[in-house]
Coordinates of all heavy atoms in Angstrom, one line a residue:
Chain A
H43 N 59.2 190.8 135.8 CA 58.0 191.0 136.6 C 57.2 192.2 136.3 O 55.9 192.2 136.2 CB 58.5 191.2 138.0 CG 57.4 191.8 139.0 ND1 56.4 190.9 139.4 CD2 57.2 193.0 139.5 CE1 55.6 191.7 140.1 NE2 56.2 192.9 140.2
D44 N 57.8 193.4 135.9 CA 57.2 194.6 135.7 C 56.2 194.4 134.4 O 55.0 194.9 134.4 CB 58.1 195.8 135.5 CG 58.7 196.2 136.7 OD1 58.0 195.9 137.8 OD2 60.0 196.6 136.7
D45 N 56.7 193.8 133.5 CA 56.0 193.5 132.2 C 54.8 192.6 132.6 O 53.7 192.9 132.1 CB 56.8 192.9 131.0 CG 57.9 193.9 130.5 OD1 57.7 195.1 130.8 OD2 58.9 193.4 129.8
T46 N 55.0 191.5 133.4 CA 54.0 190.6 133.7 C 52.8 191.4 134.5 O 51.7 191.2 134.2 CB 54.5 189.6 134.6 OG1 55.7 188.9 134.0 CG2 53.5 188.5 134.9
D47 N 53.3 192.3 135.3 CA 52.2 193.2 136.1 C 51.4 193.9 135.2 O 50.2 193.9 135.3 CB 53.0 194.1 137.1 CG 52.1 194.9 138.0 OD1 51.1 194.4 138.4 OD2 52.3 196.0 138.1
D48 N 52.0 194.6 134.2 CA 51.3 195.4 133.2 C 50.1 194.5 132.5 O 49.1 194.8 132.3 CB 52.2 195.9 132.1 CG 52.7 197.2 132.5 OD1 52.2 197.7 133.6 OD2 53.6 197.7 131.8
V49 N 50.7 193.3 131.9 CA 49.9 192.4 131.1 C 48.8 191.8 132.0 O 47.6 191.7 131.6 CB 50.8 191.3 130.5 CG1 49.8 190.3 129.7 CG2 51.8 191.9 129.5
L50 N 49.2 191.4 133.2 CA 48.1 190.8 134.1 C 47.0 191.9 134.4 O 45.8 191.5 134.3 CB 48.8 190.4 135.5 CG 47.9 189.8 136.4 CD1 47.3 188.4 136.0 CD2 48.6 189.5 137.7
Q51 N 47.4 193.2 134.7 CA 46.4 194.2 135.0 C 45.4 194.4 133.8 O 44.3 194.5 133.8 CB 47.1 195.5 135.4 CG 47.7 195.3 136.7 CD 48.0 196.5 137.5 OE1 47.3 197.6 137.3 NE2 48.8 196.6 138.5
N52 N 46.2 194.4 132.6 CA 45.4 194.6 131.3 C 44.4 193.6 131.0 O 43.3 193.6 130.7 CB 46.3 194.8 130.2 CG 46.9 196.1 130.0 OD1 46.5 197.1 130.8 ND2 48.0 196.3 129.4
T53 N 44.8 192.4 131.4 CA 43.9 191.1 131.3 C 42.7 191.2 132.1 O 41.7 191.1 131.6 CB 44.8 189.7 131.7 OG1 46.0 189.7 130.9 CG2 43.9 188.5 131.6
F54 N 43.0 191.6 133.5 CA 41.8 191.6 134.3 C 41.0 192.8 133.9 O 39.6 192.6 133.9 CB 42.2 191.8 135.7 CG 42.6 190.6 136.3 CD1 43.8 190.2 136.8 CD2 41.5 189.5 136.5 CE1 44.0 189.0 137.4 CE2 41.7 188.4 137.2 CZ 43.1 188.1 137.6
I55 N 41.5 193.9 133.4 CA 40.5 195.0 132.9 C 39.7 194.5 131.7 O 38.6 194.9 131.7 CB 41.5 196.3 132.5 CG1 42.0 196.7 134.0 CG2 40.7 197.3 131.9 CD1 43.0 197.8 133.8
K56 N 40.4 193.9 130.8 CA 39.7 193.3 129.6 C 38.5 192.3 130.1 O 37.4 192.3 129.5 CB 40.5 192.5 128.7 CG 41.4 193.4 127.9 CD 41.4 193.1 126.3 CE 41.9 194.2 125.5 NZ 43.0 193.9 124.7
V57 N 38.8 191.6 131.1 CA 37.8 190.6 131.5 C 36.7 191.3 132.1 O 35.5 191.1 131.8 CB 38.3 189.7 132.6 CG1 37.4 188.9 133.3 CG2 39.4 188.7 132.0
Y58 N 37.0 192.4 132.8 CA 35.9 193.2 133.5 C 35.0 194.0 132.4 O 33.7 193.9 132.6 CB 36.6 194.3 134.4 CG 35.8 195.3 135.1 CD1 35.1 194.9 136.3 CD2 35.4 196.5 134.6 CE1 34.3 195.8 137.0 CE2 34.6 197.4 135.2 CZ 34.0 197.0 136.4 OH 33.2 197.9 137.1
K59 N 35.7 194.6 131.4 CA 35.0 195.3 130.4 C 34.2 194.4 129.4 O 33.2 194.8 128.8 CB 36.0 196.1 129.6 CG 36.5 197.3 130.4 CD 37.3 198.2 129.5 CE 37.7 199.4 130.3 NZ 38.7 200.2 129.6
N60 N 34.6 193.1 129.3 CA 34.0 192.2 128.4 C 33.1 191.1 129.0 O 32.6 190.3 128.3 CB 34.9 191.6 127.4 CG 35.6 192.7 126.7 OD1 35.1 193.3 125.7 ND2 37.0 192.9 126.8
I61 N 32.8 191.1 130.2 CA 32.2 190.0 130.9 C 30.8 189.9 130.4 O 30.2 188.9 130.3 CB 32.3 190.2 132.5 CG1 31.8 188.9 133.1 CG2 31.5 191.4 132.9 CD1 32.7 187.6 133.0
N62 N 30.1 190.9 130.1 CA 28.9 190.9 129.5 C 28.7 190.3 128.2 O 27.7 189.6 127.8 CB 28.2 192.4 129.4 CG 27.8 192.9 130.8 OD1 27.3 192.2 131.6 ND2 28.1 194.2 130.9
G63 N 29.8 190.3 127.5 CA 29.9 189.6 126.2 C 30.2 188.1 126.3 O 30.2 187.4 125.3
F64 N 30.6 187.7 127.5 CA 30.9 186.3 127.8 C 29.7 185.3 127.7 O 28.7 185.5 128.5 CB 31.7 186.1 129.2 CG 32.1 184.8 129.5 CD1 33.0 184.0 128.8 CD2 31.4 184.1 130.5 CE1 33.4 182.7 129.0 CE2 31.8 182.8 130.8 CZ 32.7 182.1 130.0
K65 N 29.8 184.5 126.7 CA 28.5 183.7 126.4 C 28.5 182.4 127.1 O 27.6 181.7 127.1 CB 28.5 183.4 124.9 CG 28.4 184.6 124.0 CD 27.0 185.1 123.8 CE 26.8 186.2 122.8 NZ 27.6 187.4 123.1
G66 N 29.6 182.1 127.8 CA 29.6 180.8 128.5 C 29.8 179.6 127.8 O 29.5 178.5 128.1
E67 N 30.3 179.8 126.4 CA 30.5 178.6 125.6 C 31.8 177.8 126.1 O 31.8 176.6 125.8 CB 30.9 179.1 124.1 CG 29.4 179.4 123.5 CD 29.6 180.3 122.3 OE1 30.8 180.9 122.0 OE2 28.6 180.8 121.7
S68 N 32.6 178.5 126.6 CA 33.9 177.8 127.3 C 33.8 178.2 128.8 O 33.0 179.0 129.3 CB 35.1 178.3 126.7 OG 35.4 179.5 126.9
K69 N 34.7 177.5 129.6 CA 34.8 177.8 131.0 C 35.4 179.2 131.1 O 36.2 179.6 130.3 CB 35.6 176.8 131.7 CG 35.0 175.5 131.9 CD 35.8 174.6 132.7 CE 35.2 173.2 132.8 NZ 36.2 172.2 132.6
L70 N 34.9 179.9 132.2 CA 35.4 181.2 132.4 C 36.9 181.3 132.6 O 37.6 182.1 132.1 CB 34.8 181.8 133.8 CG 35.2 183.1 134.3 CD1 34.6 184.2 133.3 CD2 34.7 183.4 135.7
Y71 N 37.4 180.2 133.3 CA 38.8 180.0 133.5 C 39.6 179.9 132.1 O 40.6 180.6 131.9 CB 38.9 178.8 134.3 CG 40.2 178.0 134.4 CD1 41.2 178.4 135.3 CD2 40.4 176.8 133.6 CE1 42.4 177.7 135.3 CE2 41.5 176.0 133.8 CZ 42.4 176.5 134.6 OH 43.6 175.8 134.8
S72 N 39.1 179.2 131.3 CA 39.7 178.9 129.9 C 39.7 180.3 129.2 O 40.7 180.7 128.5 CB 39.2 177.9 129.0 OG 38.6 177.0 129.7
W73 N 38.6 180.9 129.3 CA 38.3 182.3 128.6 C 39.5 183.3 129.0 O 40.1 184.0 128.3 CB 37.0 182.7 128.9 CG 36.6 184.0 128.2 CD1 36.5 184.3 126.9 CD2 36.1 185.3 128.9 NE1 36.2 185.6 126.6 CE2 35.9 186.3 127.8 CE3 36.1 185.7 130.2 CZ2 35.4 187.6 128.1 CZ3 35.8 187.0 130.4 CH2 35.5 187.9 129.4
M74 N 39.6 183.4 130.4 CA 40.7 184.2 131.0 C 42.1 183.9 130.6 O 42.9 184.9 130.3 CB 40.5 184.3 132.5 CG 39.2 185.1 132.9 SD 38.8 184.9 134.7 CE 40.3 185.3 135.4
Y75 N 42.3 182.7 130.5 CA 43.6 182.2 130.2 C 43.9 182.5 128.8 O 45.0 183.0 128.4 CB 43.8 180.6 130.4 CG 44.5 180.2 131.5 CD1 44.0 180.0 132.7 CD2 45.9 180.0 131.3 CE1 44.7 179.5 133.7 CE2 46.6 179.5 132.4 CZ 46.0 179.4 133.6 OH 46.8 179.0 134.8
R76 N 42.7 182.6 127.9 CA 43.0 182.8 126.4 C 43.2 184.3 126.3 O 44.2 184.8 125.6 CB 41.7 182.4 125.7 CG 42.1 181.8 124.5 CD 40.9 181.1 123.7 NE 39.6 181.4 124.0 CZ 38.7 180.5 124.4 NH1 39.0 179.2 124.5 NH2 37.4 180.9 124.6
I77 N 42.6 185.1 127.1 CA 42.8 186.6 127.1 C 44.2 187.0 127.6 O 45.0 187.7 126.9 CB 41.8 187.4 128.0 CG1 40.4 187.3 127.3 CG2 42.1 188.9 128.1 CD1 39.3 187.8 128.2
A78 N 44.7 186.1 128.7 CA 46.0 186.4 129.2 C 47.1 185.9 128.1 O 48.1 186.8 127.9 CB 46.2 185.6 130.4
T79 N 46.9 184.9 127.5 CA 47.8 184.4 126.5 C 47.9 185.5 125.2 O 49.0 185.9 124.9 CB 47.4 183.1 126.0 OG1 47.2 182.1 126.9 CG2 48.5 182.4 125.1
N80 N 46.8 185.9 124.9 CA 46.8 186.8 123.7 C 47.4 188.1 124.2 O 48.2 188.7 123.4 CB 45.4 187.2 123.3 CG 44.7 186.1 122.5 OD1 45.5 185.2 122.0 ND2 43.5 186.0 122.4
E81 N 47.1 188.7 125.3 CA 47.7 189.9 125.8 C 49.2 189.7 125.9 O 50.0 190.7 125.5 CB 47.1 190.2 127.2 CG 45.7 190.7 127.1 CD 45.6 192.2 126.7 OE1 46.4 193.1 127.1 OE2 44.8 192.4 125.6
A82 N 49.7 188.5 126.4 CA 51.1 188.5 126.6 C 51.8 188.4 125.3 O 52.9 189.0 125.0 CB 51.4 187.2 127.4
L83 N 51.3 187.6 124.4 CA 51.9 187.5 123.0 C 51.8 188.8 122.3 O 52.8 189.2 121.6 CB 51.2 186.4 122.2 CG 51.3 185.0 122.7 CD1 50.6 184.0 121.8 CD2 52.9 184.6 122.9
T84 N 50.8 189.6 122.3 CA 50.6 190.9 121.7 C 51.7 191.9 122.3 O 52.3 192.6 121.5 CB 49.2 191.5 121.9 OG1 48.3 190.5 121.5 CG2 49.0 192.8 121.0
F85 N 51.8 191.9 123.6 CA 52.8 192.7 124.3 C 54.2 192.3 123.7 O 54.9 193.3 123.4 CB 52.8 192.4 125.8 CG 53.9 193.1 126.5 CD1 53.6 194.4 126.9 CD2 55.0 192.5 126.8 CE1 54.6 195.0 127.7 CE2 56.1 193.1 127.5 CZ 55.8 194.4 128.0
L86 N 54.5 191.1 123.4 CA 55.8 190.7 123.0 C 56.1 191.3 121.6 O 57.0 191.7 121.1 CB 56.1 189.4 123.0 CG 56.3 188.7 124.5 CD1 56.6 187.2 124.4 CD2 57.4 189.4 125.2

Side-chain angles (χ1 to χ4, degrees):
Chain A
H43 167 75
D44 290 331
D45 292 343
T46 308
D47 182 42
D48 273 350
V49 176
L50 181 65
Q51 295 204 17
N52 287 341
T53 302
F54 276 118
I55 291 171
K56 281 229 162 119
V57 168
Y58 181 83
K59 286 186 173 165
N60 294 298
I61 192 70
N62 283 322
F64 177 67
K65 300 276 188 297
E67 281 156 2
S68 60
K69 283 186 188 140
L70 181 65
Y71 158 82
S72 335
W73 181 64
M74 285 171 52
Y75 255 88
R76 231 174 3 239
I77 295 176
T79 312
N80 286 342
E81 284 289 307
L83 295 179
T84 313
F85 174 84
L86 291 185

